[in-house]
Amino acid sequence: MSRPVLVLDLDGTVCLGDTPVLLYAARVAALTGAPEALLETTEAFLGHRLPETAPKTLIGAQDGYEAVKILGLAAGVSEEELSAAYVWSRAAMSEQPGDIRTPDGLVDLLSGIDAHRVIMTNSPGSGLDAILEHLGLRDVVDEVRTDALKPTRMRGHLDHFLDVSGLADRPEWLMSVGDIWRNDLAPAVERGCVAAYVDAFDRRQGPAHVRAGTLVGLYSAVSDWSNDPSAFIAAHPLKESVQC
């Protein structure tokens, strides 16, 4: 019997903390004429306390990385420079993990479910082993996919897992969990997979089968799904706005 496949996003889902975004912001800010302003606005965004004077374009930012990108582009930083700053920040995080952590109880959850557990991230592979070791996740995941190029290649990744696991006719046996709807969940919804939305900023961007403000709020859903994916999706039909 095939095992269900659990696909987990990294940043904002299983890896919490402001350090990754702040490292990225610091690198981008150094390329601008007003670095303090960019850093202050980034910190305000992360703290859910944007002042009225903040750029309106930040209101729709999906996470801290997108907020920094918006601020950097507005300050004249190029796409190429932003990409290089992101790669640098990931390498730096492996040596300066700062406040990164997993949600409480995640290791126990992943240890206790019978599923092929995958971390799927747009992050480069360099330094990621050290990050996963710091987070305590190396022994409770079966596969890590880096440089995933979500959302562009997410459909292909999901198709691969469905095919190799013999689940092409049972897509509900794959659950994708993430905090960016267009990256992690839209491709899953298209394929009939289960979408579990960590909607930390209450964006309600699109439909999901289950939704909560934190991954912890989805633990019971993940556990129930892993025990019986078909029964789970029957009990949790796709909804535009759902809250666990």
Side-chain angles (χ1 to χ4, degrees):
M1 188 72 173
S2 299
R3 298 169 72 205
V5 179
L6 179 65
V7 178
L8 298 159
D9 172 55
L10 181 63
D11 290 286
T13 302
V14 303
C15 179
L16 305 180
D18 293 339
T19 294
V21 172
L22 292 176
L23 286 170
Y24 177 47
R27 193 70 165 186
V28 173
L31 302 172
T32 72
E36 296 84 2
L38 190 147
L39 287 171
E40 288 174 3
T41 304
T42 300
E43 290 171 355
F45 177 90
L46 294 173
H48 301 268
R49 50 179 175 77
L50 278 175
E52 292 185 1
T53 55
K56 300 302 181 186
T57 49
L58 286 182
I59 295 175
Q62 298 299 297
D63 60 8
Y65 290 103
E66 187 171 3
V68 172
K69 181 176 182 178
I70 290 170
L71 293 170
L73 289 172
V77 181
S78 69
E79 290 276 4
E80 292 77 12
E81 289 172 321
L82 288 169
S83 179
Y86 174 72
V87 172
W88 176 90
S89 72
R90 304 307 295 191
M93 189 173 72
S94 67
E95 299 180 0
Q96 306 170 48
D99 70 342
I100 67 168
R101 63 198 183 279
T102 59
D104 291 342
L106 178 61
V107 172
D108 290 339
L109 173 74
L110 295 180
S111 298
I113 63 173
D114 183 17
H116 183 71
R117 303 151 299 181
V118 182
I119 288 181
M120 181 89 67
T121 175
N122 284 344
S123 176
S126 176
L128 190 56
D129 280 348
I131 294 168
L132 294 178
E133 182 71 33
H134 177 82
L135 293 172
L137 293 175
R138 290 189 63 181
D139 294 332
V140 293
V141 296
D142 303 294
E143 186 174 348
V144 178
R145 288 206 167 194
T146 61
D147 297 297
L149 294 179
K150 297 185 286 186
T152 306
R153 295 189 180 177
M154 187 61 167
R155 295 166 185 82
H157 292 305
L158 298 183
D159 286 343
H160 166 79
F161 288 121
L162 291 173
D163 289 342
V164 300
S165 301
L167 301 174
D169 61 343
R170 290 178 289 161
E172 72 275 10
W173 281 54
L174 187 151
M175 173 185 273
S176 183
V177 185
D179 64 324
I180 306 296
W181 188 83
R182 66 173 180 260
N183 284 9
D184 306 305
L185 307 176
V189 168
E190 288 179 8
R191 273 147 182 73
C193 302
V194 177
Y197 191 0
V198 182
D199 193 7
F201 290 94
D202 198 29
R203 298 301 189 211
R204 301 174 187 251
Q205 291 292 311
H209 296 90
V210 286
R211 171 182 165 272
T214 66
L215 181 55
V216 174
L218 294 173
Y219 283 178
S220 61
V222 173
S223 180
D224 290 346
W225 162 82
S226 69
N227 289 330
D228 192 338
S230 298
F232 179 86
I233 200 169
H236 299 83
L238 194 65
K239 295 181 180 179
E240 282 297 324
S241 179
V242 291
Q243 180 76 43
C244 288

